[in-house]
Amino acid sequence: MKQKKQRKIDKIGKKALPKKKKAIPLEILYSEAKRLAENNNLFGAESLYKVIFNSFPDETIAINKLAEISLKQKNYSLAQKRFDTALKANPNNAEALYHVGQTMFGQKEYDKAVDFLNKSLAADPSRVTGWNTLGRAYEHLNDEEKALQAYIKATKINPEYGNAWLNAGKIYHLSGAHEDALRYYGKALKTLKNSQAVYNNLGSLLKTMGRYKDSEDTYRKGIKLYPNSPGMLYNMGNLMRDECRPEEAIKCFEKSLKIDNDVPGVHWNLALAHLLSGNIKEGFKEYLWRWDYDQFPTKKRHFAQPMWDGKPFNGKTLFIYLEQGVGDWIQFARWIPEVVKKKGKTGKLIVECHSGLKKLFSEIPGVDHVQYREETPPPFDTQVPYMTLPYLFQNTLENMPKKTPYLTVPKAAKHKVSESVIKPTDNLKVGIVWAGNPQHGNDKNRSSSLRHWIPLFELDQISWFSLQKGQKEEEPRELKLANKIELLGPHFQDYSETAAVIEHLDLVISVDTSVAHLAGALGKPVWVLVPYSPDWRWLLEREDCPWYPTARIFRQDKSRTWASVMPKLREALSDQRFFKKSTQKSV
């Protein structure tokens, strides 16, 4: 078939040669080549352009078109050679410079792409697509300012060129200039009409701005237009989960996976939706996909030894290694006693943990060796990460390990932190933590400012102790509250000392941090303050916590503000029945 087409094109080409008296006019040859290209007959168009260029070597349009065809075929090396030929004939050939820039962009050589595109636009500044590609190249070089300038230039040249509006909107969106992003996405929606990308980005922006209803409406419009778009369904699922509607989120994720099952991010978020709904058995099954998800916070570790299958390992050594954050390690340490039951008489268990937890974890019966992440473990036969344990044990909320305390304070820490640290008093002794690790992906939602807590400090019969560590530990002094709150956090060397102090307290009140998990693991009363859209482990619409029997949960309402939590907290603290009990029993 290709040979027949070639013979046909060659026949046309021969008629065009100058020695023929009745040569076909050049414009007709170009017209025919253009028609073939537009009908996606790139082979035929290429052959005809070759005839033109071979017959008329000065015809740089033909070599430009040949290079463009190579570019469409993603034959970048041939495209580059052809554009070089065109530029030798005319170094200021805007068309050729533009396409060389496109070629460089396709080959991910963004510095070169910027160079050629700038030269092309200097020769012909009216090329809108040139400005758009230049902006994209600058983005890849992390120069958002120049990228934005290029996109805006494109919108001024042609206000109907929607891609430039969309790309500029994305830069504003990611930089936090939400109102500008909204304006540019609006322009993109008008010019690109029913663009899937615009609906996705606009829905995401509106969600970021807290306009959840508008975000949902936008996604629903997009899904109506693109019902089989896995990306649109995925984004809608994430919105539903953040809106505390996990069952709807699960439906979206499952529909997305029916279209494309091999997307780790969708499986990961499906796992979170199941866990949030309380279906931890199915949730931890999907959680196995976390290692394939490029945004999972812990990098996958590779071992020559096989993954533990959950069966007894008598005569062998099992290595449990850490992943994610300190709160996760404390929460999932509840499974270590279950693993110990699988050791038999001669099995050995190695446990890895954060350096600040080593003394606490060394107290867990049946653990043979505890080590830091940075240390090389002793020889072992099989391995498993902490958060795969509930999957191996096939647990549900009903049958998972719930007994507390499952962590105990070492004697050395008890001796160091004696009762003299917290002086005897008839007051209710309350330890507080108001902020978590600022590096946490959801810290802006889960952490609070101590300013929100000020109404609580007006209550009498309460002695306040700060267990806060890190950047916020000096906030009581900054707010002139040091006379109301005793600062203990700066003195803690590790979590065993924090645990020793907690033992002397009547109550711990904390946002979603490792200290909340520590108090729960020690079996101490703990009140946990969680955002409206909580981390999966705190579930939904309940004050109790299956993970920690001594915990009570205080939730933000739909306003998503800590101001909605503090009155409920103040009322609970004011309850005289609680003061009368003043025991280690939770309310």
Side-chain angles (χ1 to χ4, degrees):
M1 180 63 73
K2 287 185 178 180
Q3 290 177 344
K4 287 182 179 180
K5 287 183 179 179
Q6 184 64 60
R7 286 196 295 270
K8 181 180 179 182
I9 298 305
D10 288 345
K11 187 175 181 181
I12 294 173
K14 288 177 182 179
K15 292 180 182 180
L17 295 177
K19 62 184 179 181
K20 297 291 184 182
K21 292 182 179 180
K22 294 183 179 180
I24 298 176
L26 198 57
E27 60 268 20
I28 293 179
L29 292 174
Y30 274 124
S31 178
E32 175 64 12
K34 181 181 178 182
R35 185 189 67 79
L36 291 168
E38 288 175 348
N39 289 325
N40 208 31
N41 185 351
L42 297 182
F43 176 78
E46 183 178 32
S47 298
L48 189 49
Y49 282 129
K50 281 182 181 179
V51 168
I52 296 172
F53 184 70
N54 291 334
S55 302
F56 305 96
D58 293 333
E59 275 298 315
T60 55
I61 293 177
I63 192 64
N64 276 339
K65 295 299 182 184
L66 284 168
E68 288 179 35
I69 289 172
S70 299
L71 200 57
K72 288 180 180 178
Q73 295 169 333
K74 297 187 178 180
N75 188 342
Y76 297 119
S77 59
L78 180 57
Q80 183 65 58
K81 289 178 182 178
R82 288 172 168 174
F83 283 128
D84 286 344
T85 301
L87 288 172
K88 283 180 182 178
N90 179 9
N92 294 318
N93 185 329
E95 184 84 10
L97 288 165
Y98 165 71
H99 285 294
V100 172
Q102 293 280 55
T103 303
M104 293 296 101
F105 186 88
Q107 292 177 311
K108 299 182 180 181
E109 296 187 43
Y110 303 116
D111 283 314
K112 292 181 180 179
V114 164
D115 183 48
F116 279 101
L117 289 167
N118 273 320
K119 288 178 180 177
S120 170
L121 292 165
D124 178 12
S126 66
R127 188 184 292 274
V128 175
T129 53
W131 289 106
N132 191 61
T133 305
L134 178 63
R136 293 175 65 199
Y138 275 129
E139 278 199 77
H140 282 286
L141 294 172
N142 297 316
D143 193 338
E144 285 77 14
E145 184 178 351
K146 287 184 178 179
L148 185 59
Q149 290 172 358
Y151 294 140
I152 291 175
K153 182 74 173 179
T155 64
K156 289 180 178 179
I157 294 171
N158 182 2
E160 297 301 311
Y161 187 67
N163 285 327
W165 291 108
L166 175 61
N167 290 333
K170 284 192 287 187
I171 291 181
Y172 281 127
H173 183 172
L174 295 174
S175 68
H178 295 154
E179 292 299 333
D180 288 321
L182 191 62
R183 182 163 55 89
Y184 273 75
Y185 283 158
K187 292 282 189 180
L189 193 60
K190 288 180 180 178
T191 52
L192 294 175
K193 304 301 180 184
N194 295 327
S195 165
Q196 186 175 161
V198 177
Y199 279 109
N200 262 326
N201 288 12
L202 180 58
S204 173
L205 172 66
L206 291 166
K207 175 186 169 187
T208 302
M209 295 174 72
R211 294 171 56 176
Y212 300 100
K213 180 64 170 63
D214 292 336
S215 176
E216 180 179 347
D217 290 344
T218 300
Y219 283 137
R220 291 201 183 281
K221 288 177 184 177
I223 290 172
K224 188 174 180 179
L225 291 167
Y226 302 97
N228 293 317
S229 166
M232 196 82 72
L233 290 163
Y234 171 68
N235 288 336
M236 183 65 164
N238 282 329
L239 175 66
M240 291 296 96
R241 192 187 72 237
D242 289 348
E243 277 281 84
C244 303
R245 293 150 67 180
E247 298 303 330
E248 292 176 71
I250 289 168
K251 289 179 181 178
C252 289
F253 293 137
E254 288 180 340
K255 188 172 181 180
S256 178
L257 290 171
K258 284 181 181 179
I259 300 166
D260 186 355
N261 185 59
D262 195 27
V263 185
V266 182
H267 283 282
W268 159 255
N269 283 283
L270 175 59
L272 298 182
H274 276 303
L275 292 170
L276 182 63
S277 72
N279 185 0
I280 69 168
K281 186 175 182 180
E282 188 64 27
F284 282 114
K285 178 183 176 182
E286 289 291 332
Y287 211 75
L288 298 175
W289 280 83
R290 65 194 183 279
W291 302 115
D292 297 316
Y293 183 38
D294 59 4
Q295 294 184 41
F296 185 63
T298 304
K299 291 184 178 180
K300 185 176 183 179
R301 293 163 67 179
H302 299 277
F303 300 96
Q305 296 87 342
M307 177 83 77
W308 184 48
D309 57 7
K311 296 179 180 178
F313 55 99
N314 189 39
K316 296 182 179 180
T317 299
L318 170 63
F319 176 42
I320 302 179
Y321 62 93
L322 57 80
E323 57 174 300
Q324 302 190 66
V326 177
D328 300 292
W329 308 333
I330 294 173
Q331 180 183 4
F332 284 75
R334 70 184 63 234
W335 270 278
I336 294 177
E338 301 303 311
V339 176
V340 169
K341 296 175 184 178
K342 302 279 187 177
K343 282 176 56 176
K345 293 183 178 180
T346 57
K348 292 188 178 298
L349 179 59
I350 304 169
V351 171
E352 185 179 70
C353 69
H354 181 277
S355 58
L357 292 173
K358 186 173 183 179
K359 292 176 183 176
L360 279 171
F361 278 32
S362 296
E363 296 292 315
I364 300 176
V367 175
D368 299 285
H369 179 76
V370 179
Q371 66 167 66
Y372 304 153
R373 166 70 173 86
E374 296 76 16
E375 296 176 314
T376 301
F380 59 92
D381 303 292
T382 186
Q383 43 78 25
V384 66
Y386 273 103
M387 299 182 77
T388 296
L389 293 173
Y391 167 73
L392 292 176
F393 284 95
Q394 291 291 287
N395 287 125
T396 64
L397 279 181
E398 290 69 36
N399 66 14
M400 70 178 184
K402 296 179 183 179
K403 184 179 178 181
T404 60
Y406 55 83
L407 293 181
T408 55
V409 181
K411 290 181 180 179
K414 285 184 177 182
H415 179 73
K416 184 176 180 179
V417 184
S418 63
E419 286 190 2
S420 61
V421 175
I422 299 180
K423 297 176 183 178
T425 175
D426 291 333
N427 286 350
L428 188 71
K429 299 185 289 293
V430 180
I432 59 172
V433 181
W434 58 91
N437 181 354
Q439 303 302 316
H440 188 279
N442 193 42
D443 191 62
K444 68 175 183 178
N445 293 317
R446 70 167 188 161
S447 290
S448 69
S449 167
L450 190 60
R451 290 182 184 277
H452 296 116
W453 297 58
I454 290 176
L456 304 182
F457 306 140
E458 298 169 356
L459 295 170
D460 56 11
Q461 300 181 48
I462 300 178
S463 296
W464 298 95
F465 301 89
S466 169
L467 310 180
Q468 183 73 44
K469 293 283 290 181
Q471 294 180 8
K472 296 291 187 76
E473 65 185 30
E474 292 297 321
E475 198 170 0
R477 289 195 177 99
E478 294 168 5
L479 296 176
K480 301 186 184 333
L481 294 170
N483 62 323
K484 295 179 178 290
I485 307 169
E486 188 169 345
L487 277 62
L488 301 180
H491 304 296
F492 297 148
Q493 299 300 311
D494 62 20
Y495 281 91
S496 68
E497 294 180 11
T498 308
V501 167
I502 289 174
E503 276 208 333
H504 291 289
L505 298 174
D506 298 307
L507 172 67
V508 172
I509 305 177
S510 174
V511 294
D512 180 8
T513 68
S514 56
V515 175
H517 289 281
L518 180 60
L522 292 168
K524 293 290 293 187
V526 55
W527 292 356
V528 188
L529 316 186
V530 301
Y532 175 72
S533 180
D535 187 81
W536 60 264
R537 67 204 79 212
W538 306 116
L539 304 174
L540 296 170
E541 299 178 351
R542 55 192 298 173
E543 283 193 3
D544 69 320
C545 177
W547 299 94
Y548 301 112
T550 57
R552 179 178 176 182
I553 301 173
F554 290 78
R555 302 178 184 275
Q556 289 180 351
D557 62 20
K558 285 191 175 183
S559 69
R560 298 178 184 248
T561 63
W562 293 114
S564 67
V565 175
M566 294 306 161
K568 292 181 285 186
L569 196 57
R570 183 184 170 102
E571 182 181 355
L573 284 168
S574 299
D575 190 336
Q576 291 302 315
R577 290 173 297 171
F578 183 86
F579 291 133
K580 287 178 182 178
K581 291 178 182 178
S582 292
T583 66
Q584 295 180 352
K585 187 176 181 181
S586 66
V587 178

